[in-house]
Amino acid sequence: MDRQGQGKTPWRLGPDVMHMNALSWTPDGHLLLSLPRVSGAIKVSRETGEVMWRMFGRHPDFNDFAFDPPLHPPISHQHDVRFSDANTLTLFANGMENDPEVSRALEFAIDEDTRTAHLVFNYSDGRYSMLMGSTQRLGNGNMAIGWGGLNLTGPLPFYTEVTRQGEIVLEMQLENDGNSYRTRKHKWRGEPRWPPLLVLDTNQGQWSDDRPPRLHYSWNGATEVAQWRVYAGSDPRTLEVVAGHPRRRFEHSIDLWPKSPFHPSGCVYYQVEPLGS
């Protein structure tokens, strides 16, 4: 079928009913498939291949669940349908062909025995992503949203994090309006193989009391630095500690005042040491 949105890019939906955009394990070891062309999801037995239940869907005969409250607007062309725990299902509802076309991050409390789904989280700020997208329930309860979009409906952030009350606490957008199919937030520990970077800025020798030489230092990729210790001296074998402070940003600097014995008017060696917590 052909689709022409109001002022939006034309998009042709082919007959690929079994087109899948998400496949994941269910908590009991079966498979959950997201089928955007029918705006639905199915649970499939890993042992027999039997469809155990169907959810959402543009046609009422497709859906096996009762929703509280009733779904309006309906789920449409969703992405990233998955269980975040034994009884919680999250998804990104793109909203294509709804009126209005608005994308939503949704979370449902699921009871598979009674085939009921209770909507417990619904975030939308009016933005619309025709394609792609993701949701992730974080450990603190916040929702991480990836907007996808391919810029078909205008530039979108590649990541938005919102609280349970819908407050945006972090939002990021790629340069040149780039986008990402799916976005995830995870803990990461970085221990670079390369040493910290140390740069002495002498302002091309034109220093003054208002603009003294400055020592810059950072360690790109390191996530565990809690403090910095700065050393200086005329002999690299007997350097002294001249400064120490907590790490508060990516790059730090200290001014080297003219009256300091470590002012670079002579031959001075500098060294920095990153320290953990």
Side-chain angles (χ1 to χ4, degrees):
M1 87 184 139
D2 291 330
R3 172 191 177 275
Q4 175 72 52
Q6 296 180 356
K8 302 182 177 71
T9 303
W11 190 257
R12 178 180 294 274
L13 296 179
D16 184 10
V17 175
M18 286 303 295
H19 171 84
M20 292 181 287
N21 60 23
L23 172 63
S24 60
W25 298 113
T26 62
D28 55 357
H30 298 291
L31 298 172
L32 181 65
L33 286 67
S34 173
L35 308 175
R37 297 295 169 83
V38 296
S39 297
I42 58 175
K43 180 180 179 180
V44 176
S45 168
R46 187 183 180 190
E47 287 79 20
T48 67
E50 173 191 6
V51 174
M52 303 174 70
W53 49 250
R54 301 178 296 185
M55 184 179 289
F56 313 127
R58 301 291 288 186
H59 195 282
D61 290 343
F62 182 92
N63 177 57
D64 294 329
F65 279 75
F67 291 93
D68 177 26
L71 283 180
H72 183 77
I75 303 298
S76 177
H77 298 84
Q78 75 291 330
H79 282 74
D80 201 26
V81 181
R82 65 186 62 246
F83 280 93
S84 58
D85 59 39
N87 300 300
T88 304
L89 192 77
T90 58
L91 65 115
F92 183 84
N94 294 75
M96 183 190 292
E97 297 177 342
N98 281 344
D99 186 15
E101 290 179 316
V102 172
S103 299
R104 296 172 289 164
L106 303 177
E107 179 182 320
F108 294 91
I110 301 296
D111 188 328
E112 295 189 66
D113 294 331
T114 62
R115 296 289 196 270
T116 56
H118 179 65
L119 181 64
V120 296
F121 182 82
N122 179 2
Y123 177 80
S124 174
D125 55 14
R127 287 183 273 206
Y128 171 52
S129 171
M130 183 186 295
L131 302 168
M132 307 178 183
S134 61
T135 54
Q136 178 192 11
R137 169 81 180 264
L138 303 178
N140 62 358
N142 289 357
M143 187 71 76
I145 305 168
W147 293 92
L150 284 179
N151 295 328
L152 294 175
T153 56
L156 292 166
F158 79 92
Y159 180 89
T160 300
E161 182 177 333
V162 298
T163 65
R164 302 304 286 183
Q165 292 72 41
E167 177 188 1
I168 296 178
V169 295
L170 177 63
E171 187 163 271
M172 295 181 284
Q173 189 156 347
L174 295 173
E175 290 185 354
N176 302 317
D177 296 328
N179 55 67
S180 174
Y181 185 98
R182 185 174 291 156
T183 306
R184 291 285 186 262
K185 181 179 182 180
H186 296 289
K187 291 183 178 180
W188 177 64
R189 180 185 177 93
E191 296 181 358
R193 299 188 301 272
W194 50 88
L197 183 65
L198 180 64
V199 175
L200 177 62
D201 176 14
T202 63
N203 196 29
Q204 299 180 340
Q206 303 300 312
W207 60 66
S208 65
D209 290 344
D210 296 329
R211 177 57 171 86
R214 195 163 287 152
L215 196 65
H216 298 262
Y217 43 96
S218 61
W219 198 11
N220 189 22
T223 61
E224 306 304 307
V225 178
Q227 301 178 66
W228 285 102
R229 189 175 290 164
V230 184
Y231 299 83
S234 58
D235 187 332
R237 297 168 297 182
T238 58
L239 301 181
E240 301 178 28
V241 177
V242 297
H245 59 82
R247 181 198 182 207
R248 292 194 173 93
R249 52 184 178 269
F250 172 73
E251 180 181 293
H252 284 275
S253 65
I254 59 171
D255 291 335
L256 304 169
W257 300 101
K259 294 183 180 181
S260 166
F262 308 108
H263 187 272
S265 55
C267 181
V268 181
Y269 293 88
Y270 300 99
Q271 180 181 344
V272 292
E273 180 184 15
L275 301 173
S277 57

